Amino acid sequence: MIRKTALCILCFLFAAAVAKAQRWHLDEGPMPGIAWCPGNDTPHADHIEMSGERMAVVLRWGVDERGAFRAERSLVFPMLRTLPNDTHGSLMYRMATDIPSLLGVDGLVLQAERVERVAIDGAVEVRSRWGLGRTNVGAARRTEPVPAATMTRTIFPSCRLPMLCERYVLRNIGPKSLTVCVPAFSQVATTDPAKGLDGAYAVRCDLAGSGTYRLAPGDSLCFAALFQAHRADEPPLAADVEAEWAARRAFVRDTVGANLVLETPDPVIDTQFRYAKLRASESICATKGGYMHAPGGESYYAAIWANDQAEYVDPFFPYLGYGVGNASALNSFRHFARFMNPEFRPLPSSIIAEGTDIWDGAGDRGDAAMIASGAARYALASGSEAEARELWPLIEWCLAYCHRQLTQQGVVASDSDELEGRFPAGDANLCTSTLYYDALRSAVSLTRELGLGAAKTRIYAQRARRLGAAIERHFGAEVGGYDTYRYYEGNTLLRSWICMPLIVGLDKHREGTVRALLGPELLTDDGLLTEQGSATFWDRSTLYALRGIYNAGHADRATELLHAYSQRRLLGDHVPYPIEAWPEGSQRHLSAESGLYCRVVTEGLFGIRPVGLRSFELTPSMPAGWDRMRLRRIRAFGSDFDIEVVREAADRLCVTVARRGAAPHRHRIAAGETLTIRLTE
């Protein structure tokens, strides 16, 4: 009881610290976004990554002590390859061009900017008030700005073109007409041809809408700045900025926003879920090797990884039903399948440079287990028998590879793990073995669905049982005073990845593991430390832990932590998406982490686990403080359906599953009970 009370106090203090750090607020509307109205909380600076199919931008922006907006655009063009043509071989170029300073207004320049509002929702929108210099006749004969105009700038990537768009709307708020000159302007930089795979590249900024305009009081003017890159021997692209803006809004609101919609009593979690869907979906490169989901971070583009793509984000896309996302997932598995071999040499950790090369610098990280787990979950959730049959040889090869790696203790050996040696992982680590166990469980379902024979089903079921027992026996241990798991043999410090058995249904050390994850040794204001006593945190293990705590039946604690985490990432000082790590990468908005956030909801809060092409287990884990929750327009299992969970009593739930165009099915269950849902019935 004392330890339970201490955990509750720690969770409360964590939530209170996060609430105190809130800078942004939810912007009300049918689809709430976030906004910040600068006041006494300046100066402030932040960075955000946004992506399209042919470019990405890390926008480093801020509001200074005088209230003026400043921005530097770190432009990334993944299909313009540089030398060496390796993991990081995307053309990158930074531009800090100050567009408002180029304007002439009544022969003067705009000055004394005061940012009134910054909003983020698939774009960065900045609304400012500006003045013009006027001479006041008097003893001091000083020059002071006179309020003259407002300007709203909207910064977003093109969905399809290698182009960053900035849309500017200037409005006259003064009593007199203004003459505004938008100059003809181009800024062009040509790269060294010796450093480009295709020679020299041109990186440019061009103003669209140049001319001289007369603005009466209340009138407005729209113009744009276009940032792009292309081969130096090719012409630049022309673009209709209004059409690009309409396409970006449609992608944010319709393609992503209108599918897999979360509705709970907590608008912060609902909104963070919508934003995470966007970040997970936007970062997909249209490479010559097909669609490739890109982690991002000014480092990782036009390439795929066994963890970020196969393990983290690919199993999520069927639920969203985003066609490009599903295509990128299937394409990633096809690329990995190219490297299956009869000698059972390890698969590469990453396939890079638009599919033309590989990276395997960390040895075997347990990549086959990552791929098997992700591919099997994807195959089931996609609902496509044709895709499942196509993926089965890859899944089967990966399962066979892992089986060959079993140690005398019955767990899976690997050279490292997905942290690639940043922290010790021993010769056999908990992550690799639990992912193989997860893949075996899914393989049992796949062999049945595909009619591959009862003998094969029995083999995988038997291997899963043996491995589960070996994991509990070999990794189960007292660490730091908790009955939990050691990450590897000889490990004496708590690790955040001890959550992994909870994810895959192993629960012998469930209670001690939940206490360890929520204890002071690991839990911080930013989530979980990677290792007890360190200062390093990676969001990926925090997000896995949240899923595990839900799966362990601790909905109240998980939701309290999920709300606090969401509030910090969505409304704190660095917004609005899950991040990679700190201090490495300065909390980059890597995109697959957003996929992991979404899976906290689908697989944790709602407890969905695929068990067939048209069926899944459903274990809702709704906190006591909620009376209902709903997930609408789920596009998995070859269907389009909603799940609604309503509390009828303290320990009784009514679960409604409604397919589009079919009568709803209602199930009354006890809290913690598992349903098997068959969408063919």
Side-chain angles (χ1 to χ4, degrees), residues 9 85 108 146 159 189 244 269 280 401 413 436 494 499 519 536 599 608 647:
I9 292 172
N85 187 17
L108 302 169
V146 175
C159 290
E244 293 298 323
I269 293 175
Y401 177 90
Y436 175 42
L494 289 171
C499 63
T536 300
R599 293 178 67 186
I608 299 173
R647 188 177 304 284

Side-chain angles (χ1 to χ4, degrees), residues 408-492:
Q408 289 184 344
Q409 292 76 29
V411 296
V412 188
S414 58
D415 298 325
S416 61
D417 62 4
E418 48 209 301
L419 291 185
E420 298 167 1
R422 294 171 176 88
F423 287 82
D427 297 325
N429 65 77
L430 185 62
C431 264
T432 299
S433 290
T434 50
L435 288 170
Y436 175 42
Y437 175 80
D438 183 71
L440 286 169
R441 288 187 62 190
S442 295
V444 170
S445 298
L446 273 171
T447 54
R448 288 173 179 157
E449 287 291 294
L450 299 179
L452 299 178
K456 188 164 288 192
T457 302
R458 282 195 301 272
I459 289 172
Y460 289 128
Q462 182 184 66
R463 288 179 180 178
R465 285 193 298 271
R466 289 176 177 171
L467 178 59
I471 289 171
E472 299 286 17
R473 185 173 57 249
H474 180 71
F475 293 108
E478 181 179 309
V479 182
Y482 297 94
D483 177 23
T484 182
Y485 298 91
R486 59 183 183 177
Y487 191 60
Y488 58 92
E489 186 176 11
N491 170 222
T492 59

Side-chain angles (χ1 to χ4, degrees), residues 105-121:
V105 182
D106 284 356
L108 302 169
V109 295
L110 293 170
Q111 56 182 298
E113 179 186 14
R114 295 288 300 181
V115 174
E116 297 181 327
R117 183 176 183 271
V118 183
I120 298 176
D121 192 355

Side-chain angles (χ1 to χ4, degrees), residues 5 10 72 100 106 153 166 189-190 210 259 339 368 447-448 499 540 566 584:
T5 302
L10 282 167
E72 178 184 276
D106 284 356
R153 68 191 99 189
E166 296 187 358
T190 303
S210 301
N259 290 298
F339 294 91
T447 54
R448 288 173 179 157
C499 63
R540 54 191 67 176
S566 302
E584 180 176 327

Side-chain angles (χ1 to χ4, degrees), residues 123-272:
V124 176
E125 180 185 274
V126 184
R127 187 177 68 204
S128 303
R129 184 178 293 262
W130 296 78
L132 283 175
R134 301 290 188 188
T135 300
N136 292 337
V137 178
R141 296 188 63 82
R142 65 185 184 274
T143 298
E144 293 182 346
V146 175
T150 62
M151 180 184 290
T152 300
R153 68 191 99 189
T154 307
I155 306 169
F156 62 95
S158 166
C159 290
R160 301 282 188 270
L161 303 178
M163 184 178 292
L164 176 70
C165 303
E166 296 187 358
R167 180 177 180 269
Y168 292 81
V169 178
L170 183 71
R171 181 178 299 277
N172 181 359
I173 62 170
K176 298 180 180 180
S177 294
L178 297 175
T179 300
V180 180
C181 176
V182 180
F185 175 84
S186 292
Q187 176 186 3
V188 183
T190 303
T191 64
D192 184 347
K195 296 181 179 180
L197 183 66
D198 299 307
Y201 302 120
V203 186
R204 58 188 301 136
C205 166
D206 299 278
L207 286 188
S210 301
T212 300
Y213 305 89
R214 187 76 171 167
L215 292 187
D219 283 354
S220 60
L221 162 68
C222 184
F223 64 97
L226 305 176
F227 296 82
Q228 63 176 295
H230 54 87
R231 287 174 47 166
D233 58 356
E234 296 178 343
L237 295 171
D240 180 339
V241 173
E242 295 304 312
E244 293 298 323
W245 177 223
R248 179 68 175 178
R249 283 182 297 173
F251 174 72
V252 172
R253 297 290 170 137
D254 301 331
T255 303
V256 173
N259 290 298
L260 197 64
V261 179
L262 177 65
E263 296 173 352
T264 76
D266 191 325
V268 173
I269 293 175
D270 292 353
T271 305
Q272 180 68 94

Side-chain angles (χ1 to χ4, degrees), residues 36 38 42-45 61-70 115 118 126:
W36 170 49
T42 57
H44 171 63
W61 66 273
V63 177
D64 66 21
E65 64 278 0
R66 296 171 299 169
F69 183 77
R70 297 289 182 266
V115 174
V118 183
V126 184

Side-chain angles (χ1 to χ4, degrees), residues 292-332:
M292 290 185 170
H293 186 272
E298 297 176 277
S299 291
Y300 311 114
Y301 304 88
I304 54 172
W305 278 257
N307 53 329
D308 292 69
Q309 281 64 55
E311 179 193 342
Y312 298 170
V313 77
D314 287 353
F316 162 69
F317 280 125
Y319 295 88
L320 182 62
Y322 176 41
V324 172
N326 286 338
S328 74
L330 188 59
N331 187 51
S332 72

